[in-house]
Amino acid sequence: MTTTHPKNPTTHPKNPTTNPSSVIRTRFAVRFLHAMKKLNKKTPPSRRYHTIRAAACASMASAVGPRRAWSRAILRKIRARTLHDHLIHKSRNHRLITRRKSAGLRGNPRDQEEVGFRQEDDLRGLVPGGEGMGFCRLLSETAHYIKCLRAQVQVMTNILDHYSSS
Amino acid sequence: MKRIIDSSFLPLHHSSIFLLCLTSQSLSLSDYILNLPVILTLYIDTQCTHSLLCLYVSSRKREKSRMDQLLVNEASFTVAINQSSYSLAELLSSGMGGGGGGLGLRMGSLGDDGSGVGEVGDVSLEQSTVTYQSVSRGGNGGGKRRRGVVNFIEDDSSKLVSTSSDNHDLNESNGKRMKASGSRDEDRGSKTEAETNPLNSIKSIEEKSKPEPPKYYIHVRARRGQATDRHSLAERARREKISERMKTLQDLVPGCNKVIGKALVLDEIINYIQSLQHQVEFLLMKLVAVNPRLDPAIEGFPIKDVAARSFDANGTMYKSQAPEECGQGTQTEWPPLQVGSGFENEKHDWESR
């Protein structure tokens, strides 16, 4: 990436671990904190929760990058939403966008082949972008998604504790 | 011993080899091994290399170094062996009959020594499958001394062994190969294994007779009683992929190891993901509540501290250790990342990469 995106782990003083989860944690932490910093100045308190949640999702997805299907799905959703927001006054475009968005996100529905109908469906509903992929791929995406969710929880817990203590 | 070797030079028939094997059993192992290279060279010429594998190594007296030597010798012959693909089958079937029983390719000792070390991995071993039946049955009737019989199953050859040679290209060029045949090494002693092997070997022969599939073919082993056509093999490969992924998921989710069965494991996973997501929401709400205090404190924020912390995110909130007092104001100016319009920036980021 050419843009000077904050803190790669290498620019830090030596990290004790450079395993993938700590890399993700660092990246997410940086982006999220940055987003929060900007968020405080901009949004009114009424929509704060909504914006901070969007910021968390977006920073997580961008920390992961477009390598994973679920992060791509989140980024797509965000882009579609911003486009949607910007073009909402043009009704024709609005309709177009909503149509395209639904087609893109839905993908081709797969049959419930594997275990029970319920589990596979639920899993697809939970993992972002889980609609349009096969079961095998869904499982690997789920594994990565769980790792990143865990990292997210850890970072946010740290931030909270840091704030509450200082 | 020398006498035997000389005598076997002349007829170059399998029966002689057989005799050789039998007699060698009475000799000490060291004698046998030393004479091994001679025997091996002998057979390469005649393209009866498989007979080499008749080397009956007594399980009692094996030494690993010897085995390695043995393997090295045999591995070097692989190229020659390759050409003699069907020769052994023909030869054996023509000649031996009952004598073939003695030819039990037993490298039992080798198998015990190390995973897959015992097997002389040769591609051509596949062809010996037909005779295997008689061989294995006769071999198993042999009894106790033949513990750890490793019937060379063809298949194992690919995986093998060959520590020294690269048979890999040879192996891949063959038809369906076995994967994870190393697990079979442990089953060696069992009779059932020996008996299923002939069937498998026969199947592999049939498969080999097809034109060689391209190298990217999925290598799956055909088990006893299972269909070997492409579709079911592909399905089996797919199922194994899925089960492998389920295993990684089980490792990720705590408490999933005790659960057995795909449905229950998936239930656990779903619950875990839901709990993680709820946790994120909860933390976000807390953050929003804390937020007004953020501005003054955010300057010297210890990123490293925050990111390096490892917590047990098991659905419970944990107290942190005291955060370090690090003035990480060494951080450079953060590039602007607007929240509202920042999504577009992020879009540009990724697109520029």
Side-chain angles (χ1 to χ4, degrees):
Chain A
M1 71 178 118
T2 57
T3 61
T4 61
H5 226 97
K7 304 318 160 181
N8 283 336
T10 50
T11 62
H12 273 297
K14 290 297 177 190
N15 269 342
T17 52
T18 47
N19 55 8
S21 58
S22 75
V23 165
I24 289 182
R25 276 202 294 261
T26 326
R27 292 213 280 224
F28 170 71
V30 158
R31 286 164 214 240
F32 185 55
L33 285 168
H34 204 72
M36 283 212 316
K37 181 180 175 187
K38 296 300 169 184
L39 186 148
N40 287 333
K41 302 180 182 166
K42 285 215 152 189
T43 53
S46 56
R47 281 198 28 113
R48 257 214 187 133
Y49 175 69
H50 175 82
T51 18
I52 203 174
R53 198 177 57 174
C57 276
S59 47
M60 191 71 229
S62 68
V64 166
R67 275 192 306 270
R68 285 278 161 181
W70 62 269
S71 62
R72 284 197 294 267
I74 290 182
L75 290 170
R76 260 201 314 262
K77 243 187 285 185
I78 292 168
R79 278 179 225 166
R81 198 187 309 146
T82 44
L83 271 178
H84 180 89
D85 288 341
H86 284 302
L87 297 174
I88 195 167
H89 58 284
K90 294 184 185 171
S91 56
R92 198 160 59 121
N93 283 347
H94 175 221
R95 263 184 261 121
L96 251 176
I97 285 167
T98 46
R99 247 208 315 265
R100 201 184 311 140
K101 179 171 81 165
S102 60
L105 285 183
R106 211 65 48 100
N108 27 353
R110 298 261 193 264
D111 319 328
Q112 295 100 348
E113 18 172 293
E114 287 302 325
V115 251
F117 302 139
R118 212 195 50 197
Q119 287 108 356
E120 192 177 333
D121 262 356
D122 291 348
L123 200 55
R124 285 186 199 273
L126 278 182
V127 176
E131 294 293 327
M133 40 173 132
F135 190 65
C136 198
R137 187 134 180 248
L138 182 68
L139 289 180
S140 51
E141 293 291 322
T142 309
H144 193 260
Y145 184 59
I146 287 180
K147 274 192 245 174
C148 295
L149 269 185
R150 231 191 252 170
Q152 193 174 2
V153 166
Q154 288 170 9
V155 169
M156 284 174 32
T157 319
N158 284 340
I159 294 177
L160 258 184
D161 290 334
H162 180 84
Y163 281 147
S164 57
S165 60
S166 65
Chain B
M1 190 64 175
K2 293 243 161 91
R3 248 184 313 120
I4 296 165
I5 292 172
D6 290 340
S7 63
S8 59
F9 257 109
L10 305 173
L12 296 180
H13 194 269
H14 284 284
S15 53
S16 61
I17 303 164
F18 172 56
L19 287 171
L20 189 61
C21 294
L22 287 182
T23 51
S24 65
Q25 191 180 349
S26 55
L27 299 173
S28 69
L29 188 68
S30 51
D31 280 328
Y32 190 73
I33 295 297
L34 286 174
N35 288 309
L36 201 51
V38 178
I39 303 167
L40 298 180
T41 49
L42 175 67
Y43 286 115
I44 277 197
D45 297 339
T46 63
Q47 289 194 341
C48 304
T49 48
H50 277 296
S51 322
L52 289 179
L53 308 177
C54 304
L55 301 173
Y56 190 100
V57 179
S58 151
S59 59
R60 283 171 297 188
K61 302 178 190 177
R62 33 176 188 274
E63 305 168 23
K64 191 162 184 188
S65 57
R66 305 285 188 167
M67 290 306 116
D68 292 344
Q69 194 183 16
L70 176 76
L71 285 175
V72 166
N73 286 331
E74 287 172 331
S76 59
F77 301 140
T78 52
V79 175
I81 288 173
N82 194 20
Q83 278 100 39
S84 70
S85 49
Y86 288 103
S87 61
L88 182 63
E90 298 156 15
L91 291 167
L92 285 177
S93 54
S94 62
M96 310 289 294
L103 283 179
L105 307 170
R106 305 208 171 124
M107 306 280 271
S109 58
L110 298 175
D112 290 343
D113 280 342
S115 56
V117 166
E119 287 144 346
V120 177
D122 281 334
V123 169
S124 52
L125 282 175
E126 289 186 356
Q127 294 80 33
S128 62
T129 56
V130 173
T131 57
Y132 245 64
Q133 244 167 347
S134 57
V135 166
S136 60
R137 298 231 179 94
N140 278 333
K144 301 164 199 169
R145 266 188 296 171
R146 295 140 190 216
R147 242 177 355 109
V149 170
V150 180
N151 293 327
F152 278 118
I153 288 169
E154 347 41 59
D155 295 335
D156 291 334
S157 60
S158 65
K159 184 191 169 174
L160 315 182
V161 187
S162 315
T163 54
S164 51
S165 66
D166 12 5
N167 275 335
H168 295 302
D169 46 351
L170 294 174
N171 294 337
E172 283 171 28
S173 65
N174 276 346
K176 315 266 164 123
R177 298 218 140 247
M178 34 300 165
K179 78 180 172 176
S181 52
S183 58
R184 295 191 352 158
D185 292 352
E186 286 106 35
D187 295 337
R188 249 172 237 151
S190 61
K191 285 188 185 177
T192 53
E193 181 70 13
E195 276 163 8
T196 56
N197 288 335
L199 282 177
N200 291 334
S201 54
I202 289 173
K203 281 177 199 157
S204 64
I205 279 187
E206 289 167 0
E207 289 173 346
K208 193 177 194 316
S209 57
K210 292 184 205 157
E212 291 177 352
K215 275 188 189 176
Y216 55 81
Y217 205 93
I218 296 174
H219 303 309
V220 178
R221 164 163 214 123
R223 295 197 197 97
R224 179 188 192 157
Q226 290 182 354
T228 56
D229 57 322
R230 287 192 183 207
H231 296 299
S232 37
L233 278 167
E235 272 176 34
R236 197 173 313 126
R238 185 183 144 269
R239 254 177 285 157
E240 284 175 11
K241 251 201 317 187
I242 284 182
S243 67
E244 173 193 328
R245 303 221 172 144
M246 296 277 293
K247 282 204 185 73
T248 54
L249 274 175
Q250 268 187 307
D251 293 335
L252 268 184
V253 177
C256 222
N257 298 328
K258 303 156 195 159
V259 182
I260 302 185
K262 255 202 277 193
L264 294 173
V265 168
L266 277 181
D267 276 340
E268 278 297 315
I269 292 174
I270 288 173
N271 283 339
Y272 188 63
I273 295 183
Q274 278 173 342
S275 79
L276 279 180
Q277 286 175 342
H278 290 324
Q279 219 176 340
V280 168
E281 277 188 39
F282 180 63
L283 285 173
L284 276 174
M285 285 197 317
K286 278 186 89 176
L287 267 176
V288 170
V290 170
N291 231 4
R293 288 181 48 206
L294 272 181
D295 289 338
I298 204 165
E299 299 310 318
F301 201 88
I303 290 285
K304 188 173 130 183
D305 172 49
V306 160
R309 205 59 67 75
S310 67
F311 277 74
D312 180 11
N314 200 2
T316 60
M317 299 278 297
Y318 273 69
K319 299 262 180 275
S320 70
Q321 309 149 13
E324 299 159 10
E325 185 64 40
C326 30
Q328 293 256 341
T330 54
Q331 293 163 4
T332 57
E333 184 67 29
W334 293 358
L337 182 68
Q338 321 281 338
V339 170
S341 60
F343 303 144
E344 291 175 356
N345 284 348
E346 287 171 7
K347 178 176 80 168
H348 292 319
D349 283 346
W350 288 112
E351 282 168 357
S352 64
R353 280 177 206 170

